[in-house]
Amino acid sequence: MTPGSPGWLRIAATEAGQQITTFWDGGRTAQQALPASIPRPALRAIHDHHHDGWDYRAELYDRVHARPLAATTVPRRLTGSPKRHWFQALRRSLCILATVSTDRRTIEQSYLDDVMPRMLGEPITTAAPAPWVTAHGDLHWANLCGPTLRVLDWEGWGLAPAGYDAATLHCHSLLIPTLAAQVRANFADVLSAETGRCAELAVIAEQLDAVHPGSSFDHTWLLRARATHLLGRPLPRRRAALKVSRVPL
């Protein structure tokens, strides 16, 4: 329980000394750095514990009464239908977030330099045409609540190419064509700009690198089709390769 109200307890665990700092400290740094005008559950307390070669972290948040709009990151259906005012609130929140100063990074340029030509083929530009801005970093429908907007899971927030959050949301919407069209309509200026196009290609490459072919939510073919549309050329056949960490250790 948080003072005067129910709470939500999140438990993280990792082998001792193996924490990826960006994600391990994300909830704490988000609470410290992000303005309250971004609608999200407040972090009330943290407790760290070490036992038998493992590190544990318990984070106590305010309980969010609005429901996540999906049970999975790439849904086939939503639990509710986001309206125009919901998208407007999301856009306002992302604009506020983009102004937050941080040295955290959601993704690494070295990872993009590796994964974009490997997944999308060449020629490909891996450098963004504008300075990176602060992003949520994992903006999918299971991290978004409605009908009242609340944004969950801030573990990976940090700097990313401009348009990264809108591009991430769009790529996670592709299994529902009407939803993807809704995202494109509400973020038309972001996604149609050269910065947004480059961010979406980065997100597509990252997701292609992560998706396991044959899984129940495999949307690889839709990602590849979207990348083909953005690039105006076909993609190479996918081949296995050594992955590079997307975040600093």
Side-chain angles (χ1 to χ4, degrees):
M1 299 287 287
T2 58
S5 65
W8 175 61
L9 184 65
R10 176 182 181 271
I11 304 294
T14 184
E15 290 186 66
Q18 298 302 308
Q19 300 98 334
I20 298 177
T21 305
T22 297
F23 296 110
W24 191 255
D25 290 336
R28 177 181 57 81
T29 57
Q31 180 63 33
Q32 294 170 342
L34 304 186
S37 54
I38 298 175
R40 66 192 194 280
L43 176 62
R44 296 302 184 184
I46 292 178
H47 177 72
D48 289 327
H49 179 70
H50 177 82
H51 178 72
D52 197 22
W54 284 77
D55 290 332
Y56 299 89
R57 172 164 289 182
E59 297 176 340
L60 183 64
Y61 290 89
D62 284 345
R63 182 178 178 183
V64 174
H65 295 281
R67 295 178 61 193
L69 286 166
T72 60
T73 60
V74 186
R76 296 184 183 275
R77 63 184 61 85
L78 297 186
T79 61
S81 179
K83 306 300 183 185
R84 178 69 176 173
H85 66 85
W86 184 93
F87 276 104
Q88 290 172 341
L90 178 59
R91 288 202 55 150
R92 283 195 300 271
S93 297
L94 297 182
C95 287
I96 294 168
L97 177 60
T99 67
V100 174
S101 178
T102 184
D103 58 2
R104 289 172 53 87
R105 299 178 79 85
T106 283
I107 196 166
E108 286 294 312
Q109 183 63 53
S110 59
Y111 173 74
L112 297 181
D113 292 341
D114 166 74
V115 76
M116 291 180 72
R118 178 158 51 86
M119 290 292 141
L120 305 180
E122 296 184 277
I124 191 75
T125 300
T126 62
W132 288 20
V133 299
T134 304
H136 176 276
D138 196 21
L139 201 72
H140 55 68
W141 296 101
N143 280 341
L144 294 167
C145 296
T148 302
L149 175 66
R150 293 291 183 272
V151 186
L152 309 178
D153 290 348
W154 289 86
E155 288 77 18
W157 77 279
L159 294 171
Y164 186 88
D165 279 340
T168 299
L169 188 61
H170 181 246
C171 289
H172 282 93
S173 305
L174 294 177
L175 285 178
I176 310 176
T178 55
L179 182 62
Q182 196 175 11
V183 174
R184 289 195 300 274
N186 282 280
F187 288 95
D189 57 324
V190 177
L191 294 174
S192 64
E194 183 60 18
T195 50
R197 174 183 174 274
C198 292
E200 190 167 3
L201 287 171
V203 171
I204 290 171
E206 180 184 351
Q207 290 196 15
L208 287 174
D209 196 34
V211 168
H212 299 291
S215 68
S216 58
F217 295 100
D218 180 4
H219 60 310
T220 298
W221 67 279
L222 291 168
L223 293 170
R224 290 177 64 87
R226 179 64 178 172
T228 296
H229 170 74
L230 293 172
L231 290 168
R233 61 164 174 80
L235 270 60
R237 287 180 176 271
R238 181 172 179 175
R239 62 184 185 275
L242 181 65
K243 292 184 181 180
V244 177
S245 175
R246 68 189 288 266
V247 295
L249 298 180

